[in-house]
Amino acid sequence: MNPLKPEEDKSDGVGRRLFLVTAEDTPDALLRVLGVASVQQTRLRALTAAPEGLTLAIRLEIDDQGEDRARSLAARLQACPSVHGVGIGWRA
């Protein structure tokens, strides 16, 4: 296995990207983040959201669409109102 490439999910043959988003814990924060993901036409495979102190920790797992698309999505998420930070990784 090449350590520079993500593992592929055996069920569908597509790698997955993980986006970790920290946002203000407001009633609309999750919907704003999901709206950005929807506009970018991502295929959402898993979602978790939980309050952490005064913030909301959102974990999005999506089908990999390439490095450029991942960076574009991260930039759009970062520009979303109430978002404090965005991290990108591969599904473990």
Side-chain angles (χ1 to χ4, degrees):
M1 182 173 134
N2 183 344
L4 298 178
K5 286 192 167 187
E7 286 187 41
E8 289 186 357
D9 181 53
K10 304 304 181 208
S11 64
D12 58 15
V14 176
R16 301 231 177 125
R17 294 272 180 161
L18 176 65
F19 290 82
L20 302 173
V21 180
T22 304
E24 293 176 19
D25 191 6
T26 60
D28 65 343
L30 179 59
L31 291 177
R32 288 177 183 266
V33 168
L34 291 176
V36 171
S38 176
V39 167
Q40 292 295 297
Q41 299 181 350
T42 62
R43 184 173 297 268
L44 186 63
R45 295 300 182 175
L47 166 69
T48 58
E52 288 186 356
L54 299 176
T55 62
L56 182 64
I58 304 168
R59 181 181 191 265
L60 302 168
E61 188 177 309
I62 64 169
D63 284 348
D64 183 30
Q65 296 177 319
E67 188 68 27
D68 290 340
R69 293 282 307 254
R71 289 183 192 274
S72 175
L73 177 57
R76 289 178 187 262
L77 287 169
Q78 184 65 52
C80 189
S82 77
V83 169
H84 294 281
V86 177
I88 307 173
W90 296 106
R91 181 184 66 126

